[in-house]
Amino acid sequence: MKRMSLFILILIFVAAGSAFAGDKNIEAENILVGGAADLGFALGTRTATPEEGDDIETNTTSFGLSGYMGYFVIDGFELGPILALDNEKITYVEGGANGDDAVSSTTTYDFGLQLGYFFDLGGAAVPYGMLGIAYRGGSTSYDNGDTEATADMSGYVIEPKVGANIFFTEAIALDLGLFVEYASYTQTQDSGEDDSEEADFDVSETNYGLAVGFNVFF
């Protein structure tokens, strides 16, 4: 996390030295493309509710990439598709066979709709607010030293995000944002020999994080 924070500070100083305070391409009929990738890092909590038994609460750390496009319907306001891919590490505290922490790895993919509003205040930094709503799918592998299991998931995710675009030209900007991710999905877990044992879980997650990327406006 310290390395990520240092990296973002360096980007801010570089952007400040190259800032562009002229007109930007965020007017009606322009198009936004979310750079090559949007790099996100998040920490949060996860609660899984089985068909029988107590809730299972865990800690999560995730790292992901996302891309999006938007069409400016009016000045400052755009909407369009979003696509995201995340890898999530889930820690089950003292959930291992010997009382140690157990860890599972989850890969998720999201696709859906995003909309955003950009506030051009006349300077190089343009604050914005964005909301993404998407379908979530993915898979999980779990090993606590005694039991191995895999699981598939299906549900939805809602992600509000706020931040600022620091423009280098009228068309290219560094995107710095903070987001909160709310996810709810059903997870079907297969375990035992030949995956003969099956269990369903209702899962809810809340993750907080930061995202860094580049946006192109044309």
PDB file of all heavy atoms in Angstrom, residues 177-199:
ATOM      1  N   GLY A 177      -8.908   8.464  -8.699  1.00  0.00           N
ATOM      2  CA  GLY A 177     -10.235   8.316  -8.118  1.00  0.00           C
ATOM      3  C   GLY A 177     -10.269   7.445  -6.877  1.00  0.00           C
ATOM      4  O   GLY A 177      -9.387   6.613  -6.649  1.00  0.00           O
ATOM      5  N   LEU A 178     -11.289   7.654  -6.065  1.00  0.00           N
ATOM      6  CA  LEU A 178     -11.594   6.833  -4.904  1.00  0.00           C
ATOM      7  C   LEU A 178     -12.953   6.183  -5.137  1.00  0.00           C
ATOM      8  O   LEU A 178     -13.884   6.839  -5.614  1.00  0.00           O
ATOM      9  CB  LEU A 178     -11.634   7.675  -3.628  1.00  0.00           C
ATOM     10  CG  LEU A 178     -10.343   8.399  -3.243  1.00  0.00           C
ATOM     11  CD1 LEU A 178     -10.605   9.326  -2.049  1.00  0.00           C
ATOM     12  CD2 LEU A 178      -9.247   7.397  -2.888  1.00  0.00           C
ATOM     13  N   PHE A 179     -13.076   4.907  -4.793  1.00  0.00           N
ATOM     14  CA  PHE A 179     -14.335   4.221  -5.049  1.00  0.00           C
ATOM     15  C   PHE A 179     -14.758   3.362  -3.859  1.00  0.00           C
ATOM     16  O   PHE A 179     -13.951   2.963  -3.021  1.00  0.00           O
ATOM     17  CB  PHE A 179     -14.243   3.356  -6.313  1.00  0.00           C
ATOM     18  CG  PHE A 179     -13.242   2.218  -6.207  1.00  0.00           C
ATOM     19  CD1 PHE A 179     -13.605   0.989  -5.680  1.00  0.00           C
ATOM     20  CD2 PHE A 179     -11.943   2.387  -6.654  1.00  0.00           C
ATOM     21  CE1 PHE A 179     -12.689  -0.045  -5.588  1.00  0.00           C
ATOM     22  CE2 PHE A 179     -11.017   1.354  -6.573  1.00  0.00           C
ATOM     23  CZ  PHE A 179     -11.398   0.135  -6.036  1.00  0.00           C
ATOM     24  N   VAL A 180     -16.063   3.092  -3.820  1.00  0.00           N
ATOM     25  CA  VAL A 180     -16.644   2.127  -2.884  1.00  0.00           C
ATOM     26  C   VAL A 180     -17.386   1.107  -3.735  1.00  0.00           C
ATOM     27  O   VAL A 180     -18.172   1.479  -4.612  1.00  0.00           O
ATOM     28  CB  VAL A 180     -17.617   2.790  -1.894  1.00  0.00           C
ATOM     29  CG1 VAL A 180     -18.161   1.743  -0.920  1.00  0.00           C
ATOM     30  CG2 VAL A 180     -16.941   3.918  -1.141  1.00  0.00           C
ATOM     31  N   GLU A 181     -17.141  -0.164  -3.476  1.00  0.00           N
ATOM     32  CA  GLU A 181     -17.748  -1.218  -4.280  1.00  0.00           C
ATOM     33  C   GLU A 181     -18.667  -2.062  -3.409  1.00  0.00           C
ATOM     34  O   GLU A 181     -18.239  -2.633  -2.407  1.00  0.00           O
ATOM     35  CB  GLU A 181     -16.652  -2.100  -4.880  1.00  0.00           C
ATOM     36  CG  GLU A 181     -17.165  -3.253  -5.717  1.00  0.00           C
ATOM     37  CD  GLU A 181     -16.037  -4.176  -6.135  1.00  0.00           C
ATOM     38  OE1 GLU A 181     -15.680  -5.068  -5.339  1.00  0.00           O
ATOM     39  OE2 GLU A 181     -15.511  -3.986  -7.247  1.00  0.00           O
ATOM     40  N   TYR A 182     -19.940  -2.126  -3.797  1.00  0.00           N
ATOM     41  CA  TYR A 182     -20.918  -2.975  -3.118  1.00  0.00           C
ATOM     42  C   TYR A 182     -21.266  -4.125  -4.059  1.00  0.00           C
ATOM     43  O   TYR A 182     -21.724  -3.898  -5.175  1.00  0.00           O
ATOM     44  CB  TYR A 182     -22.190  -2.191  -2.791  1.00  0.00           C
ATOM     45  CG  TYR A 182     -21.970  -0.940  -1.976  1.00  0.00           C
ATOM     46  CD1 TYR A 182     -21.878   0.302  -2.598  1.00  0.00           C
ATOM     47  CD2 TYR A 182     -21.863  -0.999  -0.594  1.00  0.00           C
ATOM     48  CE1 TYR A 182     -21.684   1.455  -1.860  1.00  0.00           C
ATOM     49  CE2 TYR A 182     -21.661   0.158   0.153  1.00  0.00           C
ATOM     50  CZ  TYR A 182     -21.577   1.384  -0.498  1.00  0.00           C
ATOM     51  OH  TYR A 182     -21.384   2.527   0.233  1.00  0.00           O
ATOM     52  N   ALA A 183     -21.063  -5.361  -3.606  1.00  0.00           N
ATOM     53  CA  ALA A 183     -21.337  -6.521  -4.448  1.00  0.00           C
ATOM     54  C   ALA A 183     -22.234  -7.496  -3.716  1.00  0.00           C
ATOM     55  O   ALA A 183     -22.112  -7.697  -2.498  1.00  0.00           O
ATOM     56  CB  ALA A 183     -20.038  -7.218  -4.854  1.00  0.00           C
ATOM     57  N   SER A 184     -23.147  -8.129  -4.444  1.00  0.00           N
ATOM     58  CA  SER A 184     -24.021  -9.152  -3.896  1.00  0.00           C
ATOM     59  C   SER A 184     -24.160 -10.247  -4.942  1.00  0.00           C
ATOM     60  O   SER A 184     -24.480  -9.958  -6.094  1.00  0.00           O
ATOM     61  CB  SER A 184     -25.391  -8.561  -3.540  1.00  0.00           C
ATOM     62  OG  SER A 184     -26.263  -9.559  -3.041  1.00  0.00           O
ATOM     63  N   TYR A 185     -23.905 -11.481  -4.542  1.00  0.00           N
ATOM     64  CA  TYR A 185     -23.979 -12.570  -5.509  1.00  0.00           C
ATOM     65  C   TYR A 185     -24.212 -13.908  -4.818  1.00  0.00           C
ATOM     66  O   TYR A 185     -24.046 -14.059  -3.607  1.00  0.00           O
ATOM     67  CB  TYR A 185     -22.716 -12.636  -6.368  1.00  0.00           C
ATOM     68  CG  TYR A 185     -21.409 -12.667  -5.602  1.00  0.00           C
ATOM     69  CD1 TYR A 185     -20.842 -13.862  -5.181  1.00  0.00           C
ATOM     70  CD2 TYR A 185     -20.733 -11.477  -5.306  1.00  0.00           C
ATOM     71  CE1 TYR A 185     -19.642 -13.874  -4.489  1.00  0.00           C
ATOM     72  CE2 TYR A 185     -19.532 -11.488  -4.613  1.00  0.00           C
ATOM     73  CZ  TYR A 185     -18.985 -12.691  -4.212  1.00  0.00           C
ATOM     74  OH  TYR A 185     -17.801 -12.708  -3.526  1.00  0.00           O
ATOM     75  N   THR A 186     -24.622 -14.889  -5.615  1.00  0.00           N
ATOM     76  CA  THR A 186     -24.803 -16.256  -5.148  1.00  0.00           C
ATOM     77  C   THR A 186     -23.596 -17.073  -5.568  1.00  0.00           C
ATOM     78  O   THR A 186     -23.129 -16.976  -6.707  1.00  0.00           O
ATOM     79  CB  THR A 186     -26.075 -16.872  -5.747  1.00  0.00           C
ATOM     80  OG1 THR A 186     -27.207 -16.107  -5.333  1.00  0.00           O
ATOM     81  CG2 THR A 186     -26.262 -18.316  -5.259  1.00  0.00           C
ATOM     82  N   GLN A 187     -23.077 -17.877  -4.631  1.00  0.00           N
ATOM     83  CA  GLN A 187     -21.888 -18.675  -4.897  1.00  0.00           C
ATOM     84  C   GLN A 187     -22.217 -20.149  -4.667  1.00  0.00           C
ATOM     85  O   GLN A 187     -22.728 -20.529  -3.611  1.00  0.00           O
ATOM     86  CB  GLN A 187     -20.754 -18.238  -3.972  1.00  0.00           C
ATOM     87  CG  GLN A 187     -19.391 -18.778  -4.337  1.00  0.00           C
ATOM     88  CD  GLN A 187     -18.302 -18.105  -3.503  1.00  0.00           C
ATOM     89  OE1 GLN A 187     -18.371 -18.070  -2.287  1.00  0.00           O
ATOM     90  NE2 GLN A 187     -17.296 -17.571  -4.163  1.00  0.00           N
ATOM     91  N   THR A 188     -21.924 -20.980  -5.677  1.00  0.00           N
ATOM     92  CA  THR A 188     -22.138 -22.422  -5.571  1.00  0.00           C
ATOM     93  C   THR A 188     -20.789 -23.105  -5.432  1.00  0.00           C
ATOM     94  O   THR A 188     -19.946 -23.018  -6.327  1.00  0.00           O
ATOM     95  CB  THR A 188     -22.876 -22.966  -6.808  1.00  0.00           C
ATOM     96  OG1 THR A 188     -24.136 -22.295  -6.932  1.00  0.00           O
ATOM     97  CG2 THR A 188     -23.116 -24.459  -6.683  1.00  0.00           C
ATOM     98  N   GLN A 189     -20.582 -23.777  -4.301  1.00  0.00           N
ATOM     99  CA  GLN A 189     -19.284 -24.370  -3.983  1.00  0.00           C
ATOM    100  C   GLN A 189     -19.322 -25.879  -4.163  1.00  0.00           C
ATOM    101  O   GLN A 189     -20.226 -26.561  -3.678  1.00  0.00           O
ATOM    102  CB  GLN A 189     -18.909 -24.044  -2.532  1.00  0.00           C
ATOM    103  CG  GLN A 189     -17.601 -24.659  -2.060  1.00  0.00           C
ATOM    104  CD  GLN A 189     -17.234 -24.212  -0.668  1.00  0.00           C
ATOM    105  OE1 GLN A 189     -16.958 -23.032  -0.436  1.00  0.00           O
ATOM    106  NE2 GLN A 189     -17.243 -25.135   0.275  1.00  0.00           N
ATOM    107  N   ASP A 190     -18.316 -26.397  -4.875  1.00  0.00           N
ATOM    108  CA  ASP A 190     -18.156 -27.832  -5.078  1.00  0.00           C
ATOM    109  C   ASP A 190     -16.938 -28.305  -4.310  1.00  0.00           C
ATOM    110  O   ASP A 190     -15.860 -27.704  -4.402  1.00  0.00           O
ATOM    111  CB  ASP A 190     -17.971 -28.158  -6.563  1.00  0.00           C
ATOM    112  CG  ASP A 190     -19.192 -27.777  -7.384  1.00  0.00           C
ATOM    113  OD1 ASP A 190     -20.309 -28.049  -6.924  1.00  0.00           O
ATOM    114  OD2 ASP A 190     -19.015 -27.182  -8.469  1.00  0.00           O
ATOM    115  N   SER A 191     -17.083 -29.395  -3.539  1.00  0.00           N
ATOM    116  CA  SER A 191     -15.966 -29.936  -2.763  1.00  0.00           C
ATOM    117  C   SER A 191     -16.102 -31.451  -2.676  1.00  0.00           C
ATOM    118  O   SER A 191     -17.050 -32.043  -3.227  1.00  0.00           O
ATOM    119  CB  SER A 191     -15.928 -29.320  -1.359  1.00  0.00           C
ATOM    120  OG  SER A 191     -17.130 -29.598  -0.665  1.00  0.00           O
ATOM    121  N   GLY A 192     -15.161 -32.098  -1.967  1.00  0.00           N
ATOM    122  CA  GLY A 192     -15.177 -33.542  -1.842  1.00  0.00           C
ATOM    123  C   GLY A 192     -14.593 -34.219  -3.059  1.00  0.00           C
ATOM    124  O   GLY A 192     -14.126 -33.583  -4.012  1.00  0.00           O
ATOM    125  N   GLU A 193     -14.602 -35.536  -3.069  1.00  0.00           N
ATOM    126  CA  GLU A 193     -14.074 -36.292  -4.193  1.00  0.00           C
ATOM    127  C   GLU A 193     -14.951 -36.071  -5.424  1.00  0.00           C
ATOM    128  O   GLU A 193     -16.167 -36.167  -5.359  1.00  0.00           O
ATOM    129  CB  GLU A 193     -14.016 -37.790  -3.849  1.00  0.00           C
ATOM    130  CG  GLU A 193     -13.036 -38.122  -2.733  1.00  0.00           C
ATOM    131  CD  GLU A 193     -12.937 -39.622  -2.501  1.00  0.00           C
ATOM    132  OE1 GLU A 193     -13.546 -40.383  -3.275  1.00  0.00           O
ATOM    133  OE2 GLU A 193     -12.249 -40.017  -1.543  1.00  0.00           O
ATOM    134  N   ASP A 194     -14.288 -35.792  -6.545  1.00  0.00           N
ATOM    135  CA  ASP A 194     -14.986 -35.552  -7.820  1.00  0.00           C
ATOM    136  C   ASP A 194     -16.010 -34.436  -7.702  1.00  0.00           C
ATOM    137  O   ASP A 194     -17.024 -34.425  -8.418  1.00  0.00           O
ATOM    138  CB  ASP A 194     -15.670 -36.829  -8.325  1.00  0.00           C
ATOM    139  CG  ASP A 194     -14.698 -37.970  -8.528  1.00  0.00           C
ATOM    140  OD1 ASP A 194     -13.587 -37.690  -9.004  1.00  0.00           O
ATOM    141  OD2 ASP A 194     -15.042 -39.120  -8.188  1.00  0.00           O
ATOM    142  N   ASP A 195     -15.768 -33.473  -6.789  1.00  0.00           N
ATOM    143  CA  ASP A 195     -16.681 -32.331  -6.591  1.00  0.00           C
ATOM    144  C   ASP A 195     -18.115 -32.801  -6.351  1.00  0.00           C
ATOM    145  O   ASP A 195     -19.081 -32.223  -6.855  1.00  0.00           O
ATOM    146  CB  ASP A 195     -16.635 -31.393  -7.803  1.00  0.00           C
ATOM    147  CG  ASP A 195     -15.305 -30.678  -7.908  1.00  0.00           C
ATOM    148  OD1 ASP A 195     -14.621 -30.539  -6.885  1.00  0.00           O
ATOM    149  OD2 ASP A 195     -14.946 -30.274  -9.043  1.00  0.00           O
ATOM    150  N   SER A 196     -18.251 -33.880  -5.564  1.00  0.00           N
ATOM    151  CA  SER A 196     -19.567 -34.486  -5.365  1.00  0.00           C
ATOM    152  C   SER A 196     -20.407 -33.769  -4.309  1.00  0.00           C
ATOM    153  O   SER A 196     -21.607 -34.009  -4.205  1.00  0.00           O
ATOM    154  CB  SER A 196     -19.400 -35.956  -4.965  1.00  0.00           C
ATOM    155  OG  SER A 196     -18.604 -36.070  -3.788  1.00  0.00           O
ATOM    156  N   GLU A 197     -19.775 -32.898  -3.494  1.00  0.00           N
ATOM    157  CA  GLU A 197     -20.504 -32.166  -2.464  1.00  0.00           C
ATOM    158  C   GLU A 197     -20.728 -30.725  -2.921  1.00  0.00           C
ATOM    159  O   GLU A 197     -19.799 -30.060  -3.364  1.00  0.00           O
ATOM    160  CB  GLU A 197     -19.728 -32.186  -1.147  1.00  0.00           C
ATOM    161  CG  GLU A 197     -19.471 -33.583  -0.598  1.00  0.00           C
ATOM    162  CD  GLU A 197     -18.625 -33.568   0.651  1.00  0.00           C
ATOM    163  OE1 GLU A 197     -18.508 -32.475   1.265  1.00  0.00           O
ATOM    164  OE2 GLU A 197     -18.073 -34.622   1.015  1.00  0.00           O
ATOM    165  N   GLU A 198     -21.969 -30.258  -2.781  1.00  0.00           N
ATOM    166  CA  GLU A 198     -22.312 -28.921  -3.270  1.00  0.00           C
ATOM    167  C   GLU A 198     -22.998 -28.120  -2.188  1.00  0.00           C
ATOM    168  O   GLU A 198     -23.816 -28.647  -1.431  1.00  0.00           O
ATOM    169  CB  GLU A 198     -23.219 -29.039  -4.491  1.00  0.00           C
ATOM    170  CG  GLU A 198     -23.533 -27.710  -5.163  1.00  0.00           C
ATOM    171  CD  GLU A 198     -24.330 -27.878  -6.440  1.00  0.00           C
ATOM    172  OE1 GLU A 198     -23.747 -28.314  -7.459  1.00  0.00           O
ATOM    173  OE2 GLU A 198     -25.542 -27.583  -6.408  1.00  0.00           O
ATOM    174  N   ALA A 199     -22.643 -26.823  -2.100  1.00  0.00           N
ATOM    175  CA  ALA A 199     -23.267 -25.925  -1.121  1.00  0.00           C
ATOM    176  C   ALA A 199     -23.445 -24.556  -1.751  1.00  0.00           C
ATOM    177  O   ALA A 199     -22.611 -24.098  -2.531  1.00  0.00           O
ATOM    178  CB  ALA A 199     -22.428 -25.832   0.140  1.00  0.00           C
TER     179      ALA A 199
END
